[in-house]
């Protein structure tokens, strides 16, 4: 059972570079989300998707883009990396009911120099 | 607006001690869901429990127990006879049913250190 798979696990970027964090799930979940985890701030929602072709902003969307062309994949794009985006990024998926727990990937640790 | 407060930043205990992690939440919805997640040193997030707002029954699972009190907007987590393997960061989270899907709001987490 793969669950939620995030790649890469670690990445170092220079300011201004762009990159895509990959997220894939094999549970046929409708809902997928991206969170960032910063020290002392818990996890904060960046973007989410309620199904293929539908995305929306979360609490901290600036500097990030997402798309959802398939049910399985939900990539997160950093258009022009900034040091403030240094964080650990988690992708999550869940079924359509709000009482169901989200399944998290193992995270991507991203450093922006 | 929804908010989750975990006032305890870090707790240190000695093995076999009991420890309670506090969680206080704010929401205007009458239907909502509360969660606890564990983040061990390896970094992944592990789901521990979900509680519905309309079910105030406390729950026990082995050494873990949860106390949900709507009157005080609290959902506290107790570990009985703590073990070194319990060392982790624990997050409390809230989801409001009105969104129709899950938009989790997390607390800032409590780091639990259990020493031998």
């Amino acid at each position: 059972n793969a669950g939620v798979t995030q790649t890469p696990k670690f990445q170092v970027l220079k300011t201004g570079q762009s990159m895509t964090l990959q997220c894939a799930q094999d549970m046929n979940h409708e809902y997928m989300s991206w969170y960032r985890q910063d020290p002392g701030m818990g996890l904060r929602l960046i973007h989410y998707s309620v199904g293929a072709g539908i995305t929306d902003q979360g609490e901290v969307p600036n500097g990030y883009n997402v798309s959802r062309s398939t049910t399985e994949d939900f990539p997160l794009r950093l258009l022009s990396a900034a040091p403030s985006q240094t964080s650990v990024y988690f992708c999550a998926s869940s079924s359509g009911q709000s009482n169901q727990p989200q399944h998290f990937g193992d995270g991507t640790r991203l450093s922006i120099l | 607006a929804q908010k989750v407060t975990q006032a305890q930043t870090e707790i240190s205990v000695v093995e076999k001690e009991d420890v309670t992690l506090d969680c206080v939440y704010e929401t205007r919805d009458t239907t909502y869901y509360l969660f606890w997640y564990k983040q061990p040193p390896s970094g992944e997030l592990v789901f521990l429990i979900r509680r519905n707002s309309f079910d105030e029954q406390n729950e026990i699972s082995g050494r873990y127990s949860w106390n949900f009190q709507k009157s005080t907007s609290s959902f506290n987590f107790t570990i009985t006879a703590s073990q070194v393997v319990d060392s982790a960061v624990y997050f409390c989270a809230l989801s409001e049913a009105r969104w129709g899907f899950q938009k989790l709001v997390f607390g800032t987490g409590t780091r639990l250190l259990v020493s031998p």
Side-chain angles (χ1 to χ4, degrees):
Chain A
N1 293 333
V4 179
T5 302
Q6 289 184 237
T7 56
K9 294 191 185 303
F10 304 94
Q11 185 70 49
V12 179
L13 292 177
K14 294 181 179 178
T15 297
Q17 286 186 316
S18 62
M19 83 158 293
T20 299
L21 307 186
Q22 301 292 343
C23 176
Q25 54 94 6
D26 61 359
M27 296 171 282
N28 201 32
H29 283 164
E30 294 180 62
Y31 303 121
M32 297 185 73
S33 309
W34 277 101
Y35 295 83
R36 60 177 289 174
Q37 182 180 13
D38 301 296
M41 302 188 73
L43 282 82
R44 293 179 292 168
L45 183 63
I46 304 172
H47 284 286
Y48 61 92
S49 168
V50 301
I54 306 171
T55 64
D56 207 344
Q57 297 180 352
E59 180 184 356
V60 288
N62 293 341
Y64 307 95
N65 272 1
V66 292
S67 61
R68 185 96 178 269
S69 57
T70 67
T71 299
E72 295 78 19
D73 299 302
F74 190 43
L76 178 71
R77 297 183 185 84
L78 282 70
L79 304 177
S80 178
S84 61
Q85 294 178 303
T86 294
S87 188
V88 180
Y89 292 85
F90 286 95
C91 179
S93 73
S94 64
S95 65
Q97 301 175 26
S98 53
N99 63 344
Q100 294 303 306
Q102 294 199 9
H103 299 262
F104 285 85
D106 289 340
T108 295
R109 186 173 296 275
L110 183 62
S111 295
I112 316 295
L113 304 178
Chain B
Q2 49 183 341
K3 182 180 179 181
V4 175
T5 300
Q6 295 180 256
Q8 303 154 308
T9 303
E10 183 170 308
I11 301 174
S12 293
V13 300
V14 177
E15 210 168 17
K16 298 185 182 178
E17 285 186 24
D18 298 347
V19 58
T20 295
L21 309 181
D22 297 333
C23 173
V24 175
Y25 61 92
E26 296 176 27
T27 177
R28 295 176 183 173
D29 278 21
T30 56
T31 302
Y32 52 89
Y33 306 93
L34 295 163
F35 302 81
W36 275 95
Y37 284 86
K38 174 182 180 180
Q39 186 176 44
S42 50
E44 73 272 22
L45 285 158
V46 179
F47 165 72
L48 294 178
I49 191 172
R50 175 198 72 234
R51 175 60 65 211
N52 305 329
S53 57
F54 45 85
D55 179 7
E56 288 195 70
Q57 189 171 13
N58 293 327
E59 185 159 339
I60 298 174
S61 176
R63 297 185 295 108
Y64 295 171
S65 62
W66 290 268
N67 184 308
F68 175 36
Q69 292 193 340
K70 290 181 73 172
S71 61
T72 57
S73 297
S74 65
F75 185 42
N76 296 336
F77 174 29
T78 297
I79 301 175
T80 302
S82 59
Q83 299 176 2
V84 173
V85 293
D86 295 327
S87 296
V89 180
Y90 292 86
F91 291 99
C92 181
L94 166 71
S95 171
E96 294 175 333
R98 63 187 171 101
W99 293 107
F101 67 96
Q102 203 177 83
K103 285 178 70 175
L104 284 175
V105 172
F106 284 82
T108 52
T110 297
R111 181 179 300 277
L112 175 64
L113 301 174
V114 182
S115 55

